Amino acid sequence: GGFPRPPGGGGGGGGAGGPPPHFRAPTWVPVLGIVTCAYLVTPLSGRATADYWLALILLGVGVVLWAVNRMVVGKVRFDAGKLDE
């Protein structure tokens, strides 16, 4: 089965029930997203220094929990092929 098509054929271009063409964003869109995110995570955005200390502490707690889990449980083998079953 292919992808469902809207009434009127959908103007896809996949043809014969194939998938529709992939959406392509202009290059400036992800670049703008990267720049915006970089600005928002820096002190330039006006965040208090305490916010960065809290983030550092939470990251540290996460790393400690991961390490404890890794020591107790060990490395888990994961087979993505079994997800379809």
Side-chain angles (χ1 to χ4, degrees):
F3 289 89
R5 296 203 180 255
H22 293 280
F23 173 75
R24 301 281 307 211
T27 303
W28 63 268
V29 173
V31 170
L32 179 63
I34 291 169
V35 170
T36 303
C37 288
Y39 167 74
L40 290 173
V41 299
T42 64
L44 297 174
S45 64
R47 288 191 178 274
T49 307
D51 292 349
Y52 293 99
W53 283 112
L54 177 61
L56 186 63
I57 290 167
L58 291 173
L59 281 171
V61 168
V63 168
V64 168
L65 289 173
W66 170 82
V68 169
N69 183 59
R70 187 69 182 257
M71 286 187 293
V72 172
V73 176
K75 188 171 183 177
V76 176
R77 301 256 184 234
F78 178 75
D79 184 10
K82 292 185 177 181
L83 291 176
D84 292 333
E85 295 177 2

Coordinates of all heavy atoms in Angstrom, one line a residue:
G1 N 0.8 -1.2 0.0 CA 0.0 0.0 0.0 C 0.8 1.3 0.0 O 1.8 1.3 0.7
G2 N 0.4 2.2 -0.8 CA 1.0 3.5 -0.8 C 0.5 4.4 0.2 O -0.3 4.1 1.1
F3 N 0.9 5.7 0.2 CA 0.4 6.7 1.1 C -1.0 7.1 0.7 O -1.3 7.2 -0.5 CB 1.3 7.9 1.0 CG 2.7 7.6 1.7 CD1 3.7 7.1 0.9 CD2 2.9 7.9 3.0 CE1 5.0 6.9 1.5 CE2 4.1 7.6 3.6 CZ 5.1 7.2 2.8
P4 N -1.9 7.4 1.6 CA -3.2 7.9 1.3 C -3.1 9.2 0.6 O -2.3 10.1 0.9 CB -3.9 8.0 2.6 CG -2.9 8.0 3.6 CD -1.7 7.3 3.1
R5 N -3.9 9.4 -0.4 CA -3.9 10.6 -1.2 C -5.1 11.5 -0.9 O -6.2 10.9 -0.8 CB -3.8 10.3 -2.7 CG -2.5 9.6 -3.1 CD -2.2 9.8 -4.5 NE -1.0 9.2 -4.9 CZ 0.1 9.8 -5.1 NH1 0.2 11.1 -5.0 NH2 1.2 9.1 -5.4
P6 N -4.9 12.8 -0.8 CA -6.1 13.6 -0.6 C -7.0 13.6 -1.9 O -6.6 13.2 -3.0 CB -5.5 15.0 -0.4 CG -4.2 15.0 -1.0 CD -3.7 13.5 -0.9
P7 N -8.3 14.0 -1.7 CA -9.2 14.1 -2.9 C -8.5 14.9 -4.0 O -7.9 15.9 -3.8 CB -10.4 14.8 -2.4 CG -10.4 14.6 -0.9 CD -8.9 14.5 -0.5
G8 N -8.7 14.5 -5.2 CA -8.2 15.2 -6.4 C -6.8 14.7 -6.7 O -6.1 15.3 -7.6
G9 N -6.2 13.7 -6.1 CA -4.9 13.2 -6.5 C -3.8 13.7 -5.7 O -2.8 13.1 -5.5
G10 N -3.9 14.9 -5.1 CA -2.9 15.5 -4.2 C -1.7 16.1 -4.9 O -0.9 16.7 -4.3
G11 N -1.6 16.0 -6.2 CA -0.5 16.6 -6.9 C 0.9 16.2 -6.4 O 1.8 17.0 -6.4
G12 N 1.0 14.9 -6.0 CA 2.2 14.4 -5.4 C 3.4 14.3 -6.4 O 4.3 15.1 -6.3
G13 N 3.4 13.4 -7.2 CA 4.5 13.2 -8.1 C 5.2 11.8 -7.8 O 6.1 11.5 -8.5
G14 N 4.7 11.1 -6.8 CA 5.2 9.8 -6.5 C 4.8 8.8 -7.6 O 5.5 7.8 -7.8
G15 N 3.6 9.0 -8.1 CA 3.1 8.2 -9.2 C 2.8 6.8 -8.8 O 3.5 6.2 -8.0
A16 N 1.8 6.2 -9.3 CA 1.4 4.8 -9.2 C 1.4 4.4 -7.7 O 1.9 3.3 -7.4 CB 2.3 3.9 -10.0
G17 N 0.9 5.2 -6.9 CA 0.7 4.8 -5.5 C 2.0 4.9 -4.7 O 2.1 4.5 -3.5
G18 N 3.1 5.4 -5.2 CA 4.3 5.6 -4.5 C 4.3 6.7 -3.5 O 3.3 7.4 -3.5
P19 N 5.3 6.8 -2.8 CA 5.4 7.9 -1.7 C 5.4 9.3 -2.4 O 6.0 9.4 -3.5 CB 6.6 7.6 -0.9 CG 7.5 6.8 -1.8 CD 6.6 6.0 -2.7
P20 N 4.9 10.3 -1.7 CA 5.0 11.6 -2.3 C 6.4 12.1 -2.2 O 7.2 11.6 -1.5 CB 4.1 12.4 -1.4 CG 4.0 11.7 -0.1 CD 4.2 10.2 -0.5
P21 N 6.7 13.2 -3.0 CA 8.1 13.7 -2.9 C 8.4 14.3 -1.6 O 7.5 14.7 -0.9 CB 8.1 14.7 -4.0 CG 6.7 15.1 -4.2 CD 5.9 13.9 -3.9
H22 N 9.7 14.2 -1.2 CA 10.1 14.8 0.1 C 10.0 16.3 0.2 O 10.3 17.0 -0.8 CB 11.5 14.3 0.5 CG 11.6 12.8 0.6 ND1 11.2 12.2 1.8 CD2 12.0 11.9 -0.2 CE1 11.4 10.9 1.7 NE2 11.9 10.7 0.5
F23 N 9.6 16.8 1.4 CA 9.6 18.2 1.6 C 11.0 18.7 1.7 O 11.8 18.2 2.4 CB 8.8 18.5 2.8 CG 8.8 20.0 3.2 CD1 8.1 20.9 2.5 CD2 9.6 20.4 4.2 CE1 8.1 22.2 2.8 CE2 9.7 21.8 4.6 CZ 8.9 22.7 3.9
R24 N 11.3 19.8 1.0 CA 12.6 20.4 1.0 C 12.5 21.9 1.6 O 11.7 22.7 1.0 CB 13.2 20.5 -0.4 CG 13.4 19.1 -1.0 CD 14.6 18.4 -0.5 NE 15.8 19.3 -0.6 CZ 17.0 18.8 -0.8 NH1 17.2 17.6 -1.0 NH2 18.0 19.7 -0.8
A25 N 13.2 22.2 2.7 CA 13.1 23.5 3.2 C 14.3 24.3 2.6 O 15.4 23.7 2.4 CB 13.3 23.5 4.8
P26 N 14.1 25.6 2.4 CA 15.3 26.4 2.0 C 16.4 26.3 3.0 O 16.2 26.2 4.2 CB 14.7 27.8 1.9 CG 13.2 27.7 2.0 CD 12.9 26.4 2.6
T27 N 17.6 26.5 2.6 CA 18.8 26.3 3.4 C 18.8 27.3 4.6 O 19.2 27.0 5.7 CB 20.1 26.5 2.6 OG1 20.1 25.5 1.6 CG2 21.3 26.3 3.5
W28 N 18.2 28.5 4.4 CA 18.3 29.5 5.4 C 17.4 29.2 6.6 O 17.6 29.7 7.7 CB 17.9 30.9 4.9 CG 16.5 31.0 4.3 CD1 16.1 30.8 3.1 CD2 15.4 31.3 5.1 NE1 14.7 31.0 3.0 CE2 14.3 31.3 4.2 CE3 15.1 31.7 6.4 CZ2 13.0 31.6 4.6 CZ3 13.8 31.9 6.8 CH2 12.8 31.9 5.9
V29 N 16.4 28.3 6.4 CA 15.5 28.0 7.6 C 16.2 27.2 8.7 O 16.2 27.6 9.8 CB 14.3 27.2 7.0 CG1 13.4 26.7 8.2 CG2 13.5 28.1 6.1
P30 N 16.9 26.1 8.4 CA 17.6 25.4 9.5 C 18.8 26.3 10.0 O 19.1 26.2 11.2 CB 18.1 24.1 8.8 CG 18.0 24.2 7.4 CD 16.9 25.3 7.1
V31 N 19.4 27.1 9.2 CA 20.5 27.9 9.6 C 20.0 28.9 10.6 O 20.5 29.2 11.7 CB 21.2 28.6 8.5 CG1 22.2 29.7 8.9 CG2 21.9 27.6 7.6
L32 N 18.8 29.5 10.3 CA 18.2 30.5 11.3 C 17.8 29.7 12.6 O 18.0 30.3 13.7 CB 16.9 31.1 10.6 CG 16.1 32.0 11.5 CD1 16.9 33.3 11.8 CD2 14.8 32.4 10.8
G33 N 17.4 28.5 12.5 CA 17.0 27.7 13.7 C 18.3 27.5 14.5 O 18.2 27.6 15.8
I34 N 19.4 27.2 13.9 CA 20.6 26.9 14.7 C 21.1 28.2 15.3 O 21.5 28.2 16.5 CB 21.7 26.4 13.7 CG1 21.4 25.0 13.2 CG2 23.1 26.4 14.4 CD1 22.3 24.5 12.1
V35 N 21.1 29.3 14.6 CA 21.5 30.6 15.2 C 20.6 31.0 16.3 O 21.1 31.4 17.4 CB 21.5 31.7 14.1 CG1 21.7 33.1 14.7 CG2 22.6 31.4 13.1
T36 N 19.3 30.8 16.2 CA 18.3 31.2 17.2 C 18.6 30.3 18.5 O 18.6 30.8 19.6 CB 16.9 31.0 16.7 OG1 16.7 31.8 15.6 CG2 15.9 31.4 17.8
C37 N 18.7 29.0 18.3 CA 19.0 28.1 19.5 C 20.3 28.5 20.1 O 20.4 28.5 21.4 CB 19.0 26.7 19.0 SG 17.4 26.0 18.6
A38 N 21.3 28.8 19.4 CA 22.6 29.1 19.9 C 22.5 30.4 20.8 O 23.1 30.5 21.9 CB 23.7 29.3 18.8
Y39 N 21.7 31.3 20.3 CA 21.5 32.6 21.0 C 20.8 32.3 22.3 O 21.1 32.8 23.4 CB 20.8 33.6 20.2 CG 20.2 34.8 21.0 CD1 21.1 35.8 21.4 CD2 18.9 34.9 21.3 CE1 20.6 36.9 22.2 CE2 18.4 35.9 22.0 CZ 19.3 36.9 22.5 OH 18.8 38.0 23.2
L40 N 19.8 31.5 22.3 CA 18.9 31.3 23.4 C 19.6 30.5 24.5 O 19.2 30.6 25.7 CB 17.6 30.6 23.0 CG 16.6 31.4 22.2 CD1 15.5 30.6 21.7 CD2 16.2 32.6 23.0
V41 N 20.6 29.7 24.2 CA 21.3 28.9 25.3 C 22.5 29.7 25.8 O 23.2 29.1 26.7 CB 21.8 27.5 24.8 CG1 20.6 26.7 24.4 CG2 22.8 27.6 23.7
T42 N 22.8 30.9 25.4 CA 23.9 31.7 25.9 C 23.4 32.7 26.9 O 22.2 33.1 26.9 CB 24.7 32.4 24.7 OG1 23.8 33.3 24.1 CG2 25.2 31.4 23.7
P43 N 24.3 33.3 27.7 CA 23.9 34.3 28.6 C 23.5 35.6 27.9 O 22.9 36.5 28.5 CB 25.2 34.6 29.4 CG 26.0 33.4 29.3 CD 25.7 32.8 27.9
L44 N 23.8 35.7 26.6 CA 23.4 36.9 25.8 C 21.9 37.1 25.8 O 21.4 38.2 25.6 CB 23.9 36.8 24.4 CG 25.4 36.8 24.2 CD1 25.7 36.5 22.7 CD2 26.0 38.1 24.6
S45 N 21.1 36.0 26.0 CA 19.7 36.1 26.0 C 19.1 36.7 27.3 O 17.9 36.8 27.4 CB 19.1 34.7 25.7 OG 19.3 33.8 26.7
G46 N 19.9 37.0 28.3 CA 19.5 37.6 29.5 C 19.1 36.6 30.6 O 18.6 36.9 31.6
R47 N 19.5 35.3 30.4 CA 19.2 34.3 31.5 C 20.2 34.6 32.6 O 21.3 35.0 32.5 CB 19.5 32.9 30.9 CG 18.5 32.4 30.0 CD 18.7 30.9 29.7 NE 17.7 30.4 28.9 CZ 16.5 30.0 29.3 NH1 16.2 30.0 30.5 NH2 15.6 29.5 28.4
A48 N 19.6 34.2 33.8 CA 20.4 34.3 35.0 C 21.5 33.2 35.1 O 21.3 32.1 34.5 CB 19.5 34.2 36.3
T49 N 22.6 33.5 35.7 CA 23.7 32.5 35.9 C 23.2 31.3 36.6 O 23.6 30.2 36.3 CB 24.9 33.2 36.6 OG1 25.2 34.4 35.9 CG2 26.1 32.2 36.6
A50 N 22.3 31.5 37.5 CA 21.7 30.3 38.3 C 21.1 29.3 37.4 O 21.1 28.1 37.7 CB 20.7 30.8 39.3
D51 N 20.5 29.7 36.3 CA 19.9 28.8 35.3 C 20.9 27.9 34.7 O 20.7 26.7 34.5 CB 19.2 29.6 34.2 CG 18.0 30.3 34.6 OD1 17.5 30.1 35.8 OD2 17.5 31.2 33.8
Y52 N 22.1 28.4 34.5 CA 23.2 27.6 33.9 C 23.7 26.6 34.9 O 24.1 25.5 34.6 CB 24.3 28.4 33.3 CG 23.8 29.2 32.1 CD1 23.4 30.5 32.2 CD2 23.7 28.6 30.9 CE1 22.9 31.2 31.2 CE2 23.2 29.3 29.8 CZ 22.8 30.6 29.9 OH 22.3 31.3 28.9
W53 N 23.8 27.0 36.2 CA 24.3 26.1 37.3 C 23.2 25.0 37.4 O 23.6 23.8 37.6 CB 24.5 26.9 38.6 CG 25.8 27.6 38.6 CD1 25.9 29.0 38.6 CD2 27.1 27.1 38.6 NE1 27.2 29.3 38.6 CE2 28.0 28.1 38.5 CE3 27.6 25.8 38.5 CZ2 29.4 28.0 38.5 CZ3 29.0 25.6 38.5 CH2 29.8 26.7 38.5
L54 N 22.0 25.3 37.4 CA 20.9 24.3 37.5 C 21.0 23.3 36.4 O 21.0 22.1 36.6 CB 19.6 24.9 37.6 CG 18.4 23.9 37.6 CD1 18.4 23.1 38.9 CD2 17.1 24.7 37.5
A55 N 21.2 23.8 35.2 CA 21.4 22.9 34.0 C 22.6 22.0 34.2 O 22.5 20.8 33.8 CB 21.5 23.7 32.7
L56 N 23.7 22.5 34.6 CA 24.9 21.8 34.8 C 24.7 20.7 35.9 O 25.1 19.5 35.7 CB 26.1 22.7 35.2 CG 27.4 22.0 35.4 CD1 27.9 21.5 34.0 CD2 28.4 23.0 35.9
I57 N 24.0 21.0 37.0 CA 23.7 20.0 38.0 C 22.8 18.9 37.5 O 23.0 17.7 37.7 CB 23.0 20.7 39.2 CG1 24.1 21.6 39.9 CG2 22.5 19.7 40.2 CD1 23.5 22.5 41.0
L58 N 21.8 19.3 36.7 CA 20.9 18.3 36.2 C 21.6 17.4 35.2 O 21.3 16.2 35.1 CB 19.7 19.0 35.5 CG 18.7 19.6 36.5 CD1 17.6 20.4 35.7 CD2 18.0 18.6 37.4
L59 N 22.5 17.9 34.4 CA 23.2 17.1 33.4 C 24.1 16.1 34.2 O 24.3 15.0 33.9 CB 24.1 18.0 32.5 CG 23.4 18.6 31.3 CD1 24.3 19.6 30.6 CD2 22.9 17.5 30.4
G60 N 24.7 16.6 35.3 CA 25.6 15.8 36.1 C 24.8 14.7 36.8 O 25.3 13.5 36.8
V61 N 23.6 14.9 37.3 CA 22.7 13.9 37.8 C 22.4 12.9 36.8 O 22.4 11.7 37.0 CB 21.5 14.5 38.4 CG1 20.4 13.4 38.8 CG2 21.8 15.3 39.7
G62 N 22.1 13.3 35.6 CA 21.8 12.4 34.5 C 23.0 11.5 34.1 O 22.8 10.3 33.9
V63 N 24.2 12.0 34.1 CA 25.4 11.2 33.8 C 25.6 10.2 34.9 O 25.9 9.0 34.7 CB 26.6 12.1 33.7 CG1 27.9 11.3 33.6 CG2 26.5 13.0 32.4
V64 N 25.4 10.6 36.2 CA 25.6 9.7 37.3 C 24.6 8.6 37.2 O 24.9 7.4 37.4 CB 25.5 10.4 38.7 CG1 25.4 9.5 39.8 CG2 26.7 11.4 38.9
L65 N 23.3 8.9 37.0 CA 22.3 7.8 36.8 C 22.6 6.9 35.7 O 22.4 5.7 35.8 CB 20.9 8.5 36.6 CG 20.3 9.2 37.8 CD1 19.0 9.9 37.5 CD2 20.1 8.2 39.0
W66 N 23.1 7.4 34.5 CA 23.5 6.6 33.4 C 24.6 5.6 33.8 O 24.5 4.4 33.5 CB 23.9 7.4 32.2 CG 24.5 6.6 31.2 CD1 23.9 5.9 30.2 CD2 25.9 6.4 31.0 NE1 24.8 5.3 29.4 CE2 26.1 5.6 29.8 CE3 27.1 6.8 31.6 CZ2 27.3 5.1 29.4 CZ3 28.3 6.4 31.1 CH2 28.4 5.6 30.0
A67 N 25.6 6.2 34.6 CA 26.7 5.3 35.0 C 26.3 4.2 35.9 O 26.7 3.1 35.8 CB 27.8 6.2 35.6
V68 N 25.4 4.6 36.9 CA 24.9 3.6 37.8 C 24.1 2.5 37.1 O 24.3 1.3 37.3 CB 24.1 4.2 38.9 CG1 23.3 3.2 39.7 CG2 24.9 5.1 39.8
N69 N 23.3 2.9 36.2 CA 22.5 1.9 35.4 C 23.5 1.0 34.5 O 23.2 -0.2 34.4 CB 21.5 2.7 34.4 CG 20.7 1.7 33.7 OD1 20.0 0.9 34.2 ND2 20.8 1.8 32.3
R70 N 24.5 1.6 34.0 CA 25.4 0.9 33.2 C 26.2 -0.2 34.0 O 26.4 -1.3 33.6 CB 26.4 1.8 32.5 CG 27.3 1.2 31.5 CD 26.5 0.8 30.2 NE 27.4 0.2 29.3 CZ 27.8 0.7 28.2 NH1 27.5 2.0 27.9 NH2 28.6 0.1 27.4
M71 N 26.5 0.2 35.2 CA 27.2 -0.7 36.1 C 26.3 -1.8 36.6 O 26.7 -3.0 36.7 CB 27.8 0.0 37.3 CG 29.0 0.9 37.0 SD 29.8 1.6 38.4 CE 28.6 2.7 39.0
V72 N 25.0 -1.5 36.9 CA 24.1 -2.5 37.5 C 23.6 -3.4 36.4 O 23.6 -4.6 36.5 CB 23.0 -1.8 38.2 CG1 21.9 -2.8 38.6 CG2 23.5 -1.1 39.4
V73 N 23.1 -2.8 35.3 CA 22.5 -3.6 34.2 C 23.5 -4.1 33.2 O 23.3 -5.2 32.6 CB 21.3 -2.8 33.5 CG1 20.7 -3.5 32.4 CG2 20.3 -2.4 34.6
G74 N 24.5 -3.3 32.9 CA 25.4 -3.6 31.9 C 24.9 -3.1 30.5 O 23.9 -2.5 30.4
K75 N 25.7 -3.4 29.5 CA 25.3 -3.0 28.1 C 24.2 -3.9 27.6 O 24.3 -5.1 27.7 CB 26.6 -3.1 27.2 CG 26.3 -2.5 25.9 CD 27.6 -2.4 25.0 CE 27.3 -1.7 23.7 NZ 28.5 -1.5 22.9
V76 N 23.2 -3.2 27.1 CA 22.0 -4.0 26.7 C 22.1 -4.1 25.1 O 22.3 -3.2 24.4 CB 20.7 -3.2 27.0 CG1 19.5 -3.9 26.5 CG2 20.6 -3.0 28.5
R77 N 22.0 -5.4 24.7 CA 22.0 -5.6 23.3 C 20.6 -5.4 22.7 O 19.6 -5.8 23.3 CB 22.3 -7.1 23.0 CG 23.7 -7.5 23.5 CD 24.7 -7.6 22.4 NE 26.0 -8.0 22.9 CZ 27.1 -7.4 22.8 NH1 27.1 -6.3 22.1 NH2 28.2 -7.8 23.3
F78 N 20.5 -4.6 21.6 CA 19.2 -4.2 21.1 C 19.1 -4.6 19.6 O 20.0 -4.3 18.9 CB 19.1 -2.7 21.3 CG 17.8 -2.1 20.7 CD1 16.6 -2.3 21.4 CD2 17.8 -1.5 19.5 CE1 15.4 -1.8 20.8 CE2 16.6 -1.0 19.0 CZ 15.4 -1.2 19.6
D79 N 18.1 -5.3 19.3 CA 17.8 -5.7 17.9 C 16.6 -5.0 17.3 O 15.5 -5.3 17.7 CB 17.6 -7.2 17.8 CG 17.5 -7.7 16.4 OD1 17.7 -7.0 15.5 OD2 17.1 -8.9 16.2
A80 N 16.9 -4.0 16.5 CA 15.8 -3.2 16.0 C 14.9 -4.0 15.1 O 13.7 -3.7 14.9 CB 16.4 -2.0 15.2
G81 N 15.4 -5.1 14.5 CA 14.6 -5.9 13.7 C 13.4 -6.6 14.4 O 12.4 -6.9 13.8
K82 N 13.5 -6.7 15.7 CA 12.4 -7.4 16.5 C 11.3 -6.4 16.8 O 10.3 -6.8 17.3 CB 13.0 -7.9 17.8 CG 13.9 -9.1 17.5 CD 14.3 -9.7 18.8 CE 15.2 -11.0 18.6 NZ 15.6 -11.6 19.8
L83 N 11.5 -5.1 16.5 CA 10.4 -4.1 16.8 C 9.2 -4.3 15.9 O 8.1 -4.0 16.3 CB 10.9 -2.7 16.6 CG 12.0 -2.2 17.6 CD1 12.5 -0.8 17.2 CD2 11.4 -2.2 19.0
D84 N 9.4 -4.9 14.7 CA 8.3 -5.1 13.8 C 7.4 -6.3 14.2 O 6.3 -6.5 13.6 CB 8.8 -5.3 12.3 CG 9.4 -4.0 11.8 OD1 9.0 -3.0 12.2 OD2 10.3 -4.1 10.9
E85 N 7.9 -7.1 15.1 CA 7.2 -8.4 15.4 C 6.0 -8.1 16.4 O 6.0 -7.2 17.1 CB 8.1 -9.4 16.1 CG 9.1 -9.8 15.1 CD 10.1 -10.8 15.7 OE1 10.0 -11.1 16.9 OE2 11.1 -11.2 15.0

